[in-house]
Amino acid sequence: MNPGGIAFDHVSFAYTGTPVLDDVSFDLPEGEFCLLVGPTGAGKSTLLKAVNGLVPHFTGGTVTGRITVAGREVRGSTPADLADLVGYVGQDPLAGFVTDEVERELAYTAEQLGVDPAAMRKRVTEIVDLLGLADVRDRDLAALSSGQRQRVAIGAALVAGPAALVLDEPTSALDPTAADEVLSALHRLVHDLGVTVLLAEHRLERVAQYADSALLLDGGKVTAGPVGEVLGASPIAPPVVELGRIAGWPGPPVTIREARRHAAELRRSLSEHRPPTEVSAPGRRKSAPSEAGPPLLEARGVHVEYPGGVRAVDGVDLVAGRCERIALMGRNGSGKSSLLWALQGTGKRSGGTVAIGGTDPATRKPAERRTLAGLVPAEPADLLYAETVAAECEGADQDGRVPPGTCAKILADLVEGVDENAHPRDLSEGQRLALALAVTLTAAPPLLLLDEPTRGLDYPAKEALAARLGKLADAGHCVVVSTHDVEFCAEFASRVVILSDGEVVADGPARQIVAASPMFAPQVAKVLPGWLTVSEVAEALGRSGEGATGSGTGDVEGA
């Protein structure tokens, strides 16, 4: 018997028809840190929810086989029955919160389990210190950044002292430093307390170094094994693994340190070549800002303040022309989202000026504002209100006063195979993003703003998104993307602006800015200084790049 681990024994699950999980068996021992890998839509979230009973109790469907956690049978138990055994953190922290304050949320589960008040206070304090929440423990959840909310959600799952912790993309809303802090904390839980961690994450470059083992879920089947072996056989792998594939390195290596030990010969081969002068995503010509005429966007001295004296944006200047591809980066809470909304005109602006083509969007009505700047929020579903995809497209056509079918055509150009009769909230992450982007583009705004658009997308989908946004820039749009995703930035951006405490601390060519930053440098740059993507390396070596992260296949939907 597995005393503290997670075991699946011939488990199958289906809503209707084709099973999402097909005769899945694996055994994670107590104190194992396991990484769950697979394409978008493979069923990773379904597998995770089966561990604590969310599947099928809250999803419907049929489960066969046996699931145990720390020797206890999961089938027949509800998530509430298993709360002391399995901690679960979903993709959307807000959906799981039951209170409105940080400390109350952390204490809630322990209260429901009847934990002694003194022991509960001790646990809450330990979790606050473990996850770096001391500065926000007395704040309202609504006032936190998305990354801070993610850490609170992880903390709430840990307070009950579970034997197993299951996490679905726990670092998707975190900046690289905050992600390392959370993953290091999980690593300590595994090694010091023997907690079994099963974690799904699309940003594999962040997690692989911490994992003891991996599971590959593809086509309903699971393959288990060492991290390097599983990632080497996976259709979805981080850049360092793809670099090892094209270079023929054994393993392949899954950490920067391992890759550097193999890289000497590759560096010699590349010494005869020079990296491109700017980022060049596959399938797209390089673009440069227009030098003719006035800038498209001119923001001067922008301030955004919230009640309580919180200054989110502090005197930011940002000038940009058409055809620019700008990545807005910085730690959680640095002011990126607040700046985007201030530029778009809908959000709060306490001071300064913003002009798009000479017009301040804040002075215009919403319909006219959408023709100046379009913003796709971090949750694309926030833009989607209709019952079907077709109705969303029709509504966008009417709001934009454009010919019928305009939005539908834009959507078809972005991604194929979206069912027009489907409910928008039933779409995959990539499909929802594409629909929100199509709705935004229907009004033909010259300035396009996106807030964390790569959450929930695997590597092929992110490459395709980078190429699509690049084409929009080539067509004359100025595209500004707020992102924590350094690998996406390497594929997409020609210019990087870094914020810290609401101020611009760096602004320049992407290759120059990210290469000089240990925090924001992509994996390839850490192994091969001066180079940013696998596709650049493959092109320089004169190889096809098949299987490389820069291959450019796929679409915004992903797998």
Side-chain angles (χ1 to χ4, degrees):
M1 179 177 290
N2 190 341
I6 301 170
F8 276 49
D9 186 11
H10 298 287
V11 174
S12 294
F13 172 78
Y15 295 103
T16 57
T18 304
V20 180
L21 305 177
D22 186 6
D23 196 30
V24 170
S25 295
F26 62 84
D27 192 348
L28 302 183
E30 177 182 359
E32 184 91 342
F33 193 135
C34 182
L35 174 61
L36 178 59
V37 182
T40 300
K44 299 185 297 297
S45 295
T46 298
L47 188 152
L48 295 180
K49 290 176 181 176
V51 177
N52 79 328
L54 281 170
V55 168
H57 288 283
F58 287 91
T59 63
T62 304
V63 175
T64 60
R66 187 167 184 252
I67 303 172
T68 59
V69 179
R72 191 192 302 181
E73 183 76 44
V74 169
R75 287 187 63 191
S77 300
T78 67
D81 297 332
L82 299 167
D84 64 326
L85 186 67
V86 183
Y88 175 81
V89 181
Q91 293 179 352
D92 182 6
L94 279 176
F97 290 152
V98 293
T99 71
D100 54 5
E101 296 178 1
V102 171
E103 195 156 7
R104 290 177 61 191
E105 184 65 31
L106 292 175
Y108 178 81
T109 300
E111 288 176 343
Q112 298 305 302
L113 293 172
V115 175
D116 177 75
M120 181 173 62
R121 284 194 296 271
K122 179 175 180 292
R123 288 188 188 180
V124 169
T125 299
E126 289 171 346
I127 295 301
V128 164
D129 293 339
L130 182 70
L131 296 177
L133 295 170
D135 293 340
V136 300
R137 67 184 299 170
D138 297 322
R139 291 175 61 181
D140 289 343
L141 292 167
L144 303 184
S145 70
S146 57
Q148 290 167 333
R149 290 172 185 164
Q150 198 95 346
R151 279 186 278 172
V152 172
I154 293 171
L158 290 175
V159 167
L165 189 60
V166 177
L167 307 103
D168 197 354
E169 294 200 57
T171 74
S172 61
L174 302 182
D175 62 68
T177 300
D180 281 341
E181 292 170 356
V182 168
L183 291 168
S184 295
L186 294 175
H187 191 258
R188 289 197 298 273
L189 288 171
V190 169
H191 287 266
D192 296 344
L193 302 179
V195 176
T196 303
V197 172
L198 177 58
L199 180 153
E201 181 62 68
H202 280 303
R203 299 182 187 179
L204 301 177
E205 71 278 1
R206 292 179 167 183
V207 188
Q209 62 181 314
Y210 294 97
D212 302 310
S213 61
L215 301 173
L216 169 61
L217 176 60
D218 196 9
K221 302 289 188 180
V222 163
T223 303
V227 179
E229 181 180 307
V230 170
L231 291 181
S234 171
I236 306 297
V240 71
V241 171
E242 300 289 10
L243 189 64
R245 286 175 178 170
I246 69 166
W249 296 338
V254 297
T255 69
I256 299 299
R257 185 182 184 190
E258 291 171 339
R260 283 174 174 159
R261 290 173 176 173
H262 291 282
E265 183 177 346
L266 182 57
R267 289 192 185 114
R268 284 194 292 271
S269 298
L270 291 173
S271 64
E272 302 175 4
H273 306 274
R274 299 183 65 182
T277 55
E278 68 157 300
V279 174
S280 53
R284 172 175 56 76
R285 68 179 177 84
K286 297 175 185 177
S287 60
S290 172
E291 297 179 358
L296 172 66
L297 168 66
E298 190 166 6
R300 301 288 184 182
V302 176
H303 286 81
V304 176
E305 294 186 11
Y306 295 110
V310 177
R311 179 168 290 185
V313 180
D314 191 6
V316 166
D317 294 335
L318 182 61
V319 179
R322 290 181 179 272
C323 303
E324 285 205 75
R325 294 173 276 116
I326 301 173
L328 189 62
M329 307 188 79
R331 293 201 65 167
N332 291 111
S334 62
K336 301 184 299 299
S337 296
S338 295
L339 177 59
L340 288 186
W341 283 106
L343 296 179
Q344 195 268 344
T346 300
K348 180 182 179 65
R349 190 170 86 224
S350 308
T353 62
V354 175
I356 301 172
T359 301
D360 185 345
T363 64
R364 303 303 183 188
K365 294 181 179 180
E368 185 178 354
R369 191 181 300 145
R370 286 193 293 268
T371 67
L372 295 172
L375 194 155
V376 179
E379 296 294 340
D382 291 347
L383 291 184
L384 309 175
Y385 302 101
E387 295 295 319
T388 65
V389 171
E392 285 287 357
C393 290
E394 291 168 3
D397 292 340
Q398 294 171 4
D399 292 342
R401 298 178 182 179
V402 297
T406 300
C407 181
K409 183 179 184 304
I410 295 172
L411 178 61
D413 289 340
L414 290 173
V415 59
E416 298 178 355
V418 178
D419 182 0
E420 66 175 9
N421 296 315
H423 194 290
R425 295 184 185 274
D426 290 334
L427 301 178
S428 71
E429 293 281 353
Q431 289 174 328
R432 271 198 302 274
L433 173 62
L435 178 57
L437 185 54
V439 168
T440 302
L441 290 172
T442 300
L447 178 62
L448 183 60
L449 310 168
L450 297 95
D451 195 1
E452 288 292 340
T454 64
R455 292 183 64 180
L457 301 185
D458 58 23
Y459 292 108
K462 289 191 286 190
E463 292 158 13
L465 176 62
R468 293 293 184 184
L469 295 179
K471 289 179 180 178
L472 291 171
D474 291 341
H477 293 269
C478 176
V479 184
V480 182
V481 176
S482 168
T483 184
H484 293 305
D485 194 329
V486 298
E487 302 300 336
F488 174 76
C489 175
E491 296 282 354
F492 158 75
S494 59
R495 174 182 170 190
V496 170
V497 177
I498 297 179
L499 293 184
S500 178
D501 295 325
E503 299 180 349
V504 174
V505 295
D507 183 354
R511 190 172 300 277
Q512 173 184 324
I513 296 296
V514 300
S517 169
M519 179 176 176
F520 297 114
Q523 284 196 316
V524 172
K526 293 177 179 178
V527 178
L528 305 171
W531 302 85
L532 298 187
T533 68
V534 176
S535 60
E536 290 179 352
V537 175
E539 184 177 354
L541 296 175
R543 302 179 183 179
S544 67
E546 183 179 353
T549 59
S551 59
T553 58
D555 53 31
V556 175
E557 179 186 2

